[in-house]
């Protein structure tokens, strides 16, 4: 039976960098999720006759949310839904299913790399028929719809059995429960030289993949252990758990510390990797050496042609503005267009759809290509494996060779978390106000060439996004970027991005924190971080 439920609007249902993210208990309030789902359907012109992919990273409330979404879609006339078994789909796998089945989009449940559980975070986002996150015009329409929401419709029906693969009905809607891994793994086999990688594993190549008790466990086991022949147990923390086993599933040196300890230890495998809650992020590590995400993007771009899926070359390379310029150097050397977009994967979608670029990346452990419209953690790991197999070199050799060819963009990001929102806003406002006076001034022995607030004009649809981060650009190509996170759920997170270029003739083997020391000092002075926020040290350094 279709039921119409009266409700009143909730404050703050504004999608951020990647969908709506809140504490799980906020989502568990009566009508909260339903209001947002109704706003999604309203913003895309209704669910009638449409087909949606539905799934999430398995965190607490994932299964309940899937049932709520299916009941509302069925009540509102959706034709069909494709759902990952158990309600599970990694974000890149969901993006692939949306494209493969030519659906009308998908609803993905995840708060990405944020911890999960009843007292942690939950999230929801809508992806378009191209498989990519909804662009700003659409998320703005969703937010507008939430503000006046008075009612939603849903179906009174027993829960769908999410665990049994096959086809069933919910009201008039067809529900297909699919294996979350099969189609994704098949796509990976089309892109990479599985026999070459398998041969390397057979010859003794060793790897550790830390899935951090999040969604990639089943994908990684199937691909690395079953299809590529990596030793059993290569994938650790391989069972997705509702609270990620208490882990913070953010693949960076701070949170993936078990992997880091093993990779820096005496018995390190040849190659290590980790992925995040929903499987779109990755960190790669060699034996005794960490690969920064910005360098990883540049190296993948320089070597992608070694993988069959990219053998014909790249169309262009895109990076988010705060990501280091290492990838730009590769693009320049290869005569390829380079794009600089605001933070957030959604800005890459138009470039990919218009065939302007093939590879994209962000400093925040996100890399991907035109095979889907999300960043893709396991894809990046597989491309690394393909390159390592073909070049038959270690990660250290490949990194060293890259810096000797292109020079090194020393890079680091310092995060100051859970700052009082008012203080963070005030600091950014003061910083923006003084930008015009900074040009040609000197600080810590460096001269500021330009200071601005990054704005982006999409080269495909002409849309303009302003206030995307304050940039301080120095005459020697060094750079500081400040922005406030759009994904945090507690207070404000200040991100300070630091970069310095060292040509190949210079010292390529410094610790990045040492190489960046004067820039770090300048970053504190220019924004008066301590005076404004009371913080002297960042909470997380990547
Ligand atoms: C963060 C990252 C950004 C990424 C996003 C979603 O957003 O910085 O690069 O696209 O998560 O994974 P932020 O919290 O900085 O707004
Ligand atoms: Zn993620």
């Amino acid at each position: 039976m279709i039921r119409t439920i009266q409700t009143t609007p909730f404050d703050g249902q504004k999608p951020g960098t990647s969908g709506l993210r809140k504490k799980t208990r906020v989502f568990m309030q009566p009508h909260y999720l339903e209001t947002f789902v109704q706003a999604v359907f309203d913003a895309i012109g209704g669910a009638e006759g449409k087909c949606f992919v539905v799934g999430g990273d398995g965190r607490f409330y994932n299964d309940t949310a899937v049932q709520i979404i299916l009941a509302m879609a069925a009540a509102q006339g959706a034709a069909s839904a494709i759902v990952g078994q158990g309600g599970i789909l990694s974000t890149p796998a969901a993006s692939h299913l949306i494209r493969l089945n030519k659906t009308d989009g998908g609803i993905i449940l995840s708060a990405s790399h944020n911890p999960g559980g009843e007292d942690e975070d939950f999230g929801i986002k809508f992806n378009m028929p191209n498989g990519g996150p909804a662009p700003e015009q659409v998320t703005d329409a969703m937010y507008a719809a939430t503000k006046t929401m008075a009612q939603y419709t849903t179906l009174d029906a027993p829960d769908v059995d999410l665990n049994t693969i096959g086809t069933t009905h919910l009201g008039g809607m067809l529900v297909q429960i699919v294996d979350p891994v099969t189609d994704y793994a098949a796509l990976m086999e089309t892109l990479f030289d599985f026999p070459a990688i398998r041969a390397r594993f057979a010859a003794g190549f060793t790897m550790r993949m830390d899935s951090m008790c999040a969604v990639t466990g089943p994908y990684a086991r199937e691909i690395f252990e079953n299809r590529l022949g990596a030793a059993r147990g290569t994938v650790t923390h391989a069972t997705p758990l509702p609270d990620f086993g208490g882990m913070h599933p953010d693949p960076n040196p701070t949170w993936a510390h078990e992997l880091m300890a093993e990779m820096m230890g005496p018995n390190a495998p040849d190659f290590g990797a980790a992925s995040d809650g929903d499987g779109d992020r990755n960190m790669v590590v060699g034996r005794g050496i960490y690969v920064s995400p910005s360098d990883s993007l540049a190296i993948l771009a320089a070597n992608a042609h070694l993988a069959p899926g990219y053998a014909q070359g790249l169309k262009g390379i895109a990076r988010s503005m705060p990501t280091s310029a290492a990838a730009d150097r590769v693009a320049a050397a290869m005569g390829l267009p380079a794009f600089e977009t605001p933070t957030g994967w959604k800005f890459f979608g138009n470039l990919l759809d218009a065939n302007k670029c093939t590879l994209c990346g962000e400093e925040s452990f996100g890399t991907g290509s035109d095979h889907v419209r999300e960043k893709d953690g396991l894809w990046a790991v597989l491309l690394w494996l393909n390159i390592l197999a073909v070049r038959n070199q270690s990660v250290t050799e490949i990194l060293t060779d890259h810096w000797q060819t292109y020079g090194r963009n020393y890079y680091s990001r310092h995060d100051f978390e859970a700052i009082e929102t008012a203080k963070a806003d005030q600091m950014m406002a003061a910083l923006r106000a003084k930008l015009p006076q900074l040009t040609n001034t000197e600080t810590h022995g460096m001269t500021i060439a330009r200071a601005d607030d990054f704005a982006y004009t999409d080269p495909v649809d002409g849309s303009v996004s302003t206030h995307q981060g304050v940039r301080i650009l120095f005459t020697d190509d060094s750079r500081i970027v400040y922005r406030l996170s759009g994904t945090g759920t507690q207070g404000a997170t200040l991100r300070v991005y630091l970069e310095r270029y060292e040509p190949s003739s210079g010292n390529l083997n410094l610790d990045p924190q040492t190489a960046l020391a004067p820039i770090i000092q300048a970053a504190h002075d220019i924004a008066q971080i301590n005076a404004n926020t009371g913080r002297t040290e960042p909470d997380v350094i990547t």
Side-chain angles (χ1 to χ4, degrees), residues 395-538:
V395 174
T396 304
E397 285 166 332
I398 289 177
L399 258 178
T400 309
D401 174 62
H402 189 87
W403 293 332
Q404 280 168 356
T405 308
Y406 298 96
R408 179 170 179 185
N409 287 70
Y410 281 107
Y411 187 84
S412 184
R413 185 177 101 184
H414 289 195
D415 289 342
F416 302 79
E417 294 177 344
I419 300 173
E420 248 177 71
T421 308
K423 289 184 179 173
D425 288 343
Q426 214 175 341
M427 193 202 86
M428 290 302 287
L431 185 58
R432 288 193 162 102
K434 77 177 195 189
L435 290 180
Q437 293 125 53
L438 289 177
T439 307
N440 293 328
T441 60
E442 270 202 27
T443 173
H444 298 270
M446 303 175 302
T447 306
I448 298 176
R450 218 170 96 203
D452 66 8
D453 194 353
F454 181 64
Y456 177 68
T457 303
D458 187 297
V460 179
D461 65 16
S463 59
V464 177
S465 304
T466 53
H467 301 299
Q468 297 297 322
V470 168
R471 305 191 290 184
I472 313 289
L473 307 160
F474 296 92
T475 49
D476 66 351
D477 274 359
S478 298
R479 186 177 74 150
I480 302 167
V481 177
Y482 304 88
R483 57 179 285 283
L484 298 182
S485 159
T487 60
T489 53
Q490 204 191 347
T493 295
L494 168 67
R495 305 205 193 282
V496 183
Y497 309 81
L498 308 140
E499 180 174 0
R500 175 165 86 75
Y501 178 66
E502 182 79 30
S504 52
S505 55
N507 189 344
L508 300 173
N509 294 307
L510 293 171
D511 174 338
Q513 303 308 317
T514 310
L516 294 165
I519 297 163
I520 295 170
Q521 289 285 312
H524 278 264
D525 288 355
I526 292 169
Q528 294 285 294
I529 295 176
N530 186 12
N532 280 299
T533 69
R535 302 293 176 83
T536 51
E537 296 295 329

Side-chain angles (χ1 to χ4, degrees), residues 17 281 343-345 362 364 375 413 483 485-487 495:
T17 311
R281 292 187 175 198
T343 295
W345 207 260
E362 294 195 274
S364 52
K375 51 188 176 252
R413 185 177 101 184
R483 57 179 285 283
S485 159
T487 60
R495 305 205 193 282

Side-chain angles (χ1 to χ4, degrees), residues 123-187:
I124 174 170
K125 70 174 178 175
F126 182 77
N127 279 30
M128 306 295 281
N130 75 345
E136 257 170 355
Q137 313 87 279
V138 180
T139 55
D140 286 350
M142 290 172 193
Y143 181 43
T146 66
K147 290 192 205 164
T148 55
M149 195 60 67
Q151 59 180 46
Y152 62 87
T153 50
T154 185
L155 198 70
D156 247 349
D159 279 356
V160 175
D161 171 8
L162 299 176
N163 292 320
T164 308
I165 289 184
T167 304
T168 164
H169 277 88
L170 182 61
M173 183 175 80
L174 187 73
V175 181
Q176 264 178 276
I177 308 291
V178 301
D179 179 81
V181 177
T182 307
D183 288 321
Y184 177 82
L187 174 66

Side-chain angles (χ1 to χ4, degrees), residues 220-250:
R221 275 213 170 128
E222 171 61 20
I223 293 171
F224 301 131
E225 297 184 9
N226 295 347
R227 300 197 185 195
L228 292 171
R232 296 272 151 225
T234 291
V235 185
T236 49
H237 300 120
T239 305
L241 298 172
D243 65 348
F244 304 130
M247 292 181 93
H248 186 154
D250 196 356

Side-chain angles (χ1 to χ4, degrees), residues 7-16 18-40 42-43 61 72 122 124-125 138-152:
T7 183
T8 47
F10 291 90
D11 275 346
Q13 289 196 321
K14 185 174 168 50
S18 188
L20 182 68
R21 286 196 198 160
K22 300 283 174 195
K23 289 287 163 203
T24 310
R25 286 190 193 278
V26 172
F27 273 102
M28 290 165 72
Q29 299 172 82
H31 313 309
Y32 190 91
L33 177 68
E34 291 87 341
T35 297
F36 189 74
V37 172
Q38 188 62 57
V40 168
D42 291 354
Y61 203 56
M72 288 181 66
F122 192 77
I124 174 170
K125 70 174 178 175
V138 180
T139 55
D140 286 350
M142 290 172 193
Y143 181 43
T146 66
K147 290 192 205 164
T148 55
M149 195 60 67
Q151 59 180 46
Y152 62 87

